[in-house]
Every structure is written in structure tokens, then in C-alpha cells.
Amino acid sequence: MSDENKTRRPYAPRMSPHQTYEEINSYVVFWGLFFSVLFALAVGYLCLKIGQTVDAFAPVSVLAMGMAVLFHRRNAFPETVHIQAIASAGTNIIGGAMFILPALYILNIEDVSFLEMAIPIVLGGVLGVFLATVFRRYFCEEMDGVYPFPSGSAAAEVLESDEGSKAHIMLVSGAVALVYDFVLNSLGWWQELLTTTTFHWGQVLADKYKLVFSLDNDAALLGIGYFTGLRYAAIIAAGSFFSWLVCIPVAYYLGGDHTMVVGGETMLLANAPVDAVFSQYVRHIGIGMLAMSGIIGLLSMSGVVVRVVKRAVADLFSKGASSSGMLLRTQQDLPMTQIVFGSLLMTILFAVFFHVMCAESLTQTVIAFVLVMLFALMLSVVGISSIAFTGNEPVSGMTIFMIIVSAVVMGGAGMAGKTGIIAILMMASFLCATLAVSGNFMSELKVAYITGATPKKMQQWQLVSIVLAGVVSVGVVFLMHHAYGFTGEGALAAPQANAMAAIVKPMMDGGDAPWPLYMAGAFFAVLLWMMKIPPLAFALGSYLPMGINTPVLVGGLISYFVSHSSDDAKVNAKRLSEGNTVASGFVAGGAIGSLISAVLHIAGIDWFAKAWAASPAATFAGIVAYFVLCIFLYAMAKHAVKQD
């Protein structure tokens, strides 16, 4: 009991658990669904264009708070919480569509109908809501003091900054981040990815020793790093350094005479770019670590799973004895009977869809059913844990692992060629939607816990919004294919879908997977676990590009310096809290700035200074700008307290 208490913090949400609030009404539902569709369209295009997504919570929260003032809403806070939660479905589910479905067109498979593409996305998204609900109590309540939930905490800070000094700090920091990221992404006045290869000495290091260092100086990533904290930020960065500063040089040293294909050209590994060696070889070690981390996570959470099963059995046979009426409003979830039957129904419906569309035998359908069910359970734990630790989720990496395993198993069951490709991609789209929704929706459930919203109401309307957003996201893929295409000159890049297509086609045509690399990653994850180092955080760092991980470390360092800036523990705690507000402004403002850049891309407006941005001078400018941004975060955290 005492150990469990250590994982909890004092709980005093803005909406008291002992009071009732008007959280859902026609105003909330209309604007929530409206923004869900809007962001599915805008961010879906951005994802297909450059392979990046923007969370809806920040811009929707700001818009909803502005509308509350404009429309003189008296019940503004509960309404804003649920508007942004409903709207989040628009960006939660797009990964399932944008990362997978364009691969059909890339492989010249155009006889899959709109309905056939939409069914696995919607079913997988709904399953993701159910899986997040199953584990909500454990991740959001029982382990409140363990998992930082950087994105969820930032969202809650944004929502709670609608009045007083927090509003001022949020407004200032958000405006700074908005301008910063807008200049970064739309104007190119300074370089976004700061890399040593920009300079002559760095190029020499890369050519001679295969050593590259990079940092993405996006304001939102810096804010995420601050929320993550130094310990986990350091572990994530260590995984990245392991891949880029250890594994890549070793790969060149041991396998320089190995031939590989880069951009359609065959060359020796010794002559290949560092990025290509990372994506084609070293990254697979990270995928193996992620997979084994999922297994370790499941085993370590076996007690939680057992409790969930016992609760489900009790709900099934107690005839309402443990109804939600016995719980506080903030502890109420969808009934476990609905969760269990709903999860089984979604998986069974997908199996029926798979049997009608793809399978050549009942055996293949049964195998597909078992695979998606096991992967959904195992990898959703990995994804949710990743979101809880870092605010990021390696959806594409986990889906790639599923594609490889499924291709081997389904190939052994007789699937091959075009039919096999469609089958694997449909399984991948179902699973990818499940993982994307379960992880990201858990952040929203953390927002509900922090703010005191009713999780059950959030879950109910997330289901509605997921269905709508799932159909819209497939519509985006369908329209973008006919407007721009995904192959040829002027086509949308769809980088994740291209990776999926490049993996699934050779495997269904008789190719093989890099099993030794996966096994190496799996064994390394076990070693990390034996040394009591969280393998998931390390694996996430080893899988993602270094540029995304290093700003998380910088943010974690700043949070450490802020929390140790005084000899008074209470002052340090207050400064750390004020820094959280500033970091939240960075996340919110950065997301809005990136969204504005996406709108400009859609409108065909190009103000980006390409030649300047590629020069060493732009990198120097980026270093200076990023240093000023870091100083701003640190100074604001301390200055806000001095004014009290």
C-alpha cells in the first residue's frame, strides 16, 4: 500500500470530483466534431506532404477559449476540455490512414474501394478507444507520479491558463513559440535541423568516422522535453546516441563491403550515406528493442492485466453490483462489459471483413484474427507507455514490425502476391489505427484526470468522433491520390507509406526480413531490463532520428536546472511549475505555428528561403535562435516566481 501511495501526487483538480458540471451539450458536440473534421483534413494533408503530424489539442484549446469569450459562455472550462478532447480524434486516427493506405496506390493497387479502406480504419480506431479505457485507471490514476505524460500535462496547462497570471505567461510564451516555429517552417530564416554535416569539419567526421550529430530546434519539441524531465530524456537520448554514435560506425567498420540499394542505385555500404545505413539497418535494431520492450511491458504489467480481467469478470456476472454509481464522477469509465464485448466485436468484425475481402481459406482468417488481437494488446501497451513517458509514440515502427511478422506468418499460410499485399496492408491499417488512437487518447484521459473531467463522457464522444474522423481521413487519402498522386513528379511524399510499401512487396514476393538485427535489439532490451534501465525509453531513442531526441534532452536539462535554481525546495517546485506553463505555451504556440505553415503549403504559398536555409550561416543563426529560446524558457520560469 505504501508503494502504491508513492506513485500518486496530491489530487485537487479544477473541477471537483464531488460536484457535477454540464460537460456535454450541443455546443460542445458541434464544435468538437467540426474541429475534428477540420484537423483531419489539414493535418492529414501535412502528414502526406512531409510525414509529420500536429496534435489538435493546442490550436483547438486556444480557439475554444477564444470562442468562449466571444460567445460569453458561462460554462467555459468544462466545455473547452471536452471540445478539444472530441476534436483530438481528428489527429489521433490519421496515422492509420496516412501511414498505410497510400501504399496501395504506390504499389499500383487501385481496385480497393473507399469503403474497403475505411472499414479497418474505423474498426481499429474504435478498438483503440476501448483499449485506452481498459488501462486508464492504471496509467492515469494509480501511476500518476510515475508517468509524466508530457503532451497531456501540456494540454492541461493550456486549458487551465484561461485566467490569471498563468494566462499571461501562456500567452507570451505561446506567441514566442508561434512566431519562432512559423519562421522556422515557413520562412527558413534559420535552419531547423542543426547538424554537424553543415560544416566542413562535420562533413569530415561523417566521411571519415561516420559520426553525425543533429538537433531539431523546434519550440514544441523543447517544451515536450521540459515536461519529460531529465531522467527519461537522458535515457531516450542515450538510445539515440547508441544508434548514431555506436551502431552506425560499427556497421561501416564490419560491413563496408556489403552491397545495398539507395535511391534505386546499388552501392557498397562503405559509400552509402549515414541516413541510409540508419534507416535500412540500425533502425531495425530499435524495432527489435521496441518489440521486446512490449513483451517485457506486458509481463511486468501482468498484475494489472489480471486485475482488469477480474474486474471484467465481476462486471459481467455481478448484475450491476459494481456500477459506476459507486464511484466518484472522475473515476467513471465505460462499463467493462461494453469494453470487453466492444473490443471483441471490433476484432471479429475485422476478421469477417478480412475473410470476405482477402482470405483464401478459413485458416488464413483465423491466423489474421489471432495476429491482430495479440499485436493490438501487446503494442498498445508499448504505445501508451511511450506516450506516457515521452509524449511521442513510434506508431510506424511498431506497425513495420507487425507487417514483417504478419508477412512471414501469412506467407507460410499460403498468401502471396497482390492478394497477400492487400491482406497485410489491411491488417496494418487496422492495427496502426488502434495504436495511434489508444496512445494519443490516453493523453486525453490524462487531461480528464488532471482537470477533473468525467472520463466516461470523454470516452463516449471519442467513439463518435473517431468514426467520423476515420471516414474523413480515408477521404483525404482518396482525394489527395486523385489530386496529386503518391508517385511521380509533383506527387506527395507520403514517407511512411513508401516505407511500408518497400517492406511488404518484397516479403510477399518471397523476400526476407533482417531477423538478426531484430534479435540483436531484442536481446539488448533484455540486458537493459536486467540493468533496471527502462528499455522502452531507450528503444524509442534508438528508433527515432537523433534530431528529434536531442531537443528532448535539452528540455530535460533546462527543467533540471530550473528545479535546482534555489536552495529553497518550495521555490524550486514553484519555478518548475511555472516552467511547465511556459513549456505548455511552447507546445501550443509551436503547434499553431506549424499548422499555419501547413495551411500555406495547401494554398501553394512558398516563402521559404531554400538557398539560405541550406547554408552554414543559417545553421549559425539557428544555434543562436535556439540558445535564445532556451534562455527564455529558463528565465521565464524564474522570473514568474520573483513577481509573486
Side-chain angles (χ1 to χ4, degrees):
M1 190 70 176
S2 60
D3 291 338
E4 183 176 322
N5 288 337
K6 292 178 183 178
T7 66
R8 299 201 182 201
R9 296 173 290 191
Y11 185 57
R14 181 161 167 178
M15 289 187 282
S16 172
H18 304 287
Q19 297 180 22
T20 58
Y21 301 84
E22 186 182 358
E23 300 176 72
I24 300 294
N25 52 38
S26 58
Y27 173 85
V28 171
V29 172
F30 172 79
W31 286 111
L33 294 178
F34 173 80
F35 286 128
S36 176
V37 171
L38 179 64
F39 279 82
L41 291 169
V43 181
Y45 172 82
L46 179 66
C47 185
L48 293 173
K49 180 76 175 179
I50 61 175
Q52 295 182 1
T53 62
V54 177
D55 289 332
F57 88 82
V60 171
S61 296
V62 173
L63 288 169
M65 286 188 286
M67 291 191 309
V69 175
L70 180 65
F71 298 138
H72 304 288
R73 303 296 298 183
R74 296 182 179 179
N75 192 41
F77 184 73
E79 291 177 345
T80 302
V81 171
H82 283 278
I83 287 174
Q84 66 86 32
I86 295 173
S88 70
T91 53
N92 288 352
I93 200 170
I94 58 174
M98 309 308 165
F99 292 174
I100 308 296
L101 296 180
L104 293 168
Y105 298 118
I106 293 168
L107 297 173
N108 296 315
I109 300 174
E110 301 202 22
D111 54 349
V112 180
S113 69
F114 180 91
L115 181 62
E116 289 170 333
M117 287 190 286
I119 287 175
I121 299 297
V122 171
L123 294 178
V126 172
L127 177 61
V129 176
F130 287 136
L131 290 177
T133 303
V134 167
F135 293 103
R136 183 201 67 82
R137 187 175 300 175
Y138 173 77
F139 280 97
C140 296
E141 294 184 15
E142 296 176 8
M143 304 296 286
D144 177 50
V146 175
Y147 297 113
F149 275 99
S151 296
S153 298
E157 285 280 350
V158 172
L159 291 164
E160 293 181 337
S161 67
D162 58 343
E163 59 184 25
S165 61
K166 278 192 174 185
H168 175 73
I169 297 171
M170 181 73 69
L171 181 64
V172 172
S173 60
V176 169
L178 188 155
V179 173
Y180 185 95
D181 277 6
F182 175 78
V183 171
L184 197 69
N185 296 312
S186 297
L187 304 180
W189 289 358
W190 54 78
Q191 180 61 261
E192 177 179 3
L193 186 65
L194 306 177
T195 175
T196 52
T197 56
T198 304
F199 308 102
H200 175 71
W201 57 267
Q203 194 61 56
V204 171
L205 278 177
D207 293 339
K208 189 172 182 179
Y209 301 107
K210 310 305 179 184
L211 296 175
V212 175
F213 182 87
S214 60
L215 181 148
D216 190 319
N217 63 351
D218 185 282
L221 288 175
L222 181 64
I224 291 288
Y226 187 94
F227 272 104
T228 302
L230 181 58
R231 180 171 185 264
Y232 284 106
I235 295 172
I236 293 166
S240 192
F241 296 155
F242 172 74
S243 287
W244 288 85
L245 305 181
V246 178
C247 292
I248 288 178
V250 168
Y252 278 101
Y253 181 75
L254 296 178
D257 57 350
H258 177 75
T259 58
M260 57 185 293
V261 178
V262 180
E265 179 183 352
T266 302
M267 63 177 65
L268 290 175
L269 187 149
N271 301 323
V274 173
D275 289 345
V277 174
F278 171 73
S279 62
Q280 294 191 31
Y281 296 99
V282 175
R283 199 172 198 176
H284 293 293
I285 299 175
I287 293 174
M289 274 194 270
L290 285 170
M292 181 55 70
S293 297
I295 296 173
I296 293 172
L298 276 179
L299 293 175
S300 64
M301 290 179 62
S302 58
V304 178
V305 175
V306 169
R307 290 204 303 271
V308 170
V309 171
K310 287 182 177 178
R311 196 164 77 237
V313 173
D315 285 349
L316 285 171
F317 297 103
S318 64
K319 296 183 180 181
S322 58
S323 74
S324 61
M326 303 294 292
L327 301 173
L328 291 173
R329 179 182 56 77
T330 53
Q331 297 175 325
Q332 295 176 9
D333 294 299
L334 291 172
M336 188 57 68
T337 50
Q338 293 183 15
I339 296 171
V340 172
F341 287 126
S343 299
L344 287 174
L345 179 62
M346 294 304 105
T347 314
I348 291 171
L349 287 176
F350 175 76
V352 173
F353 163 79
F354 184 89
H355 185 74
V356 173
M357 181 183 179
C358 308
E360 298 170 345
S361 67
L362 182 60
T363 300
Q364 292 177 350
T365 299
V366 173
I367 293 174
F369 172 81
V370 172
L371 284 175
V372 295
M373 186 168 60
L374 290 178
F375 275 121
L377 177 61
M378 181 181 76
L379 297 182
S380 65
V381 174
V382 178
I384 292 172
S385 299
S386 177
I387 285 282
F389 279 128
T390 70
N392 293 310
E393 184 180 16
V395 173
S396 57
M398 293 188 291
T399 305
I400 287 172
F401 178 77
M402 176 267 181
I403 285 177
I404 293 170
V405 174
S406 298
V408 171
V409 175
M410 299 306 294
M415 277 195 161
K418 178 181 175 182
T419 301
I421 291 173
I422 294 174
I424 298 301
L425 290 178
M426 291 299 100
M427 293 170 65
S429 62
F430 175 82
L431 180 71
C432 192
T434 299
L435 300 179
V437 171
S438 62
N440 286 292
F441 184 52
M442 187 64 80
S443 279
E444 292 298 331
L445 293 174
K446 186 63 175 182
V447 172
Y449 177 77
I450 295 173
T451 61
T454 307
K456 180 178 180 180
K457 294 180 179 179
M458 195 173 281
Q459 293 153 9
Q460 291 170 333
W461 285 100
Q462 184 76 186
L463 288 171
V464 175
S465 190
I466 280 293
V467 173
L468 178 61
V471 174
V472 172
S473 67
V474 176
V476 173
V477 174
F478 195 81
L479 292 174
M480 292 300 106
H481 165 65
H482 288 86
Y484 301 101
F486 302 110
T487 57
E489 186 177 352
L492 295 172
Q496 289 90 349
N498 271 283
M500 306 297 174
I503 291 171
V504 70
K505 180 173 174 55
M507 292 203 67
M508 297 314 294
D509 288 342
D512 199 4
W515 292 111
L517 297 178
Y518 296 141
M519 292 175 64
F523 285 129
F524 200 81
V526 173
L527 292 177
L528 290 170
W529 172 75
M530 293 173 67
M531 292 185 289
K532 297 185 178 181
I533 298 173
L536 177 61
F538 192 95
L540 186 66
S542 65
Y543 167 76
L544 294 173
M546 181 190 289
I548 295 177
N549 297 320
T550 44
V552 175
L553 177 61
V554 174
L557 285 168
I558 294 174
S559 71
Y560 175 82
F561 292 140
V562 168
S563 65
H564 292 75
S565 59
S566 169
D567 294 330
D568 190 328
K570 291 183 178 179
V571 171
N572 286 335
K574 195 170 185 182
R575 287 177 175 175
L576 184 64
S577 176
E578 296 293 350
N580 286 338
T581 304
V582 179
S584 300
F586 278 10
V587 176
I592 295 173
S594 298
L595 182 63
I596 294 173
S597 298
V599 172
L600 292 178
H601 276 296
I602 294 173
I605 299 173
D606 187 4
W607 295 332
F608 198 83
K610 296 182 179 66
W612 164 259
S615 67
T619 298
F620 279 119
I623 294 172
V624 172
Y626 194 64
F627 180 75
V628 171
L629 192 68
C630 293
I631 294 298
F632 176 85
L633 172 57
Y634 179 80
M636 284 285 286
K638 293 183 65 178
H639 181 68
V641 174
K642 289 181 180 180
Q643 288 184 324
D644 278 1

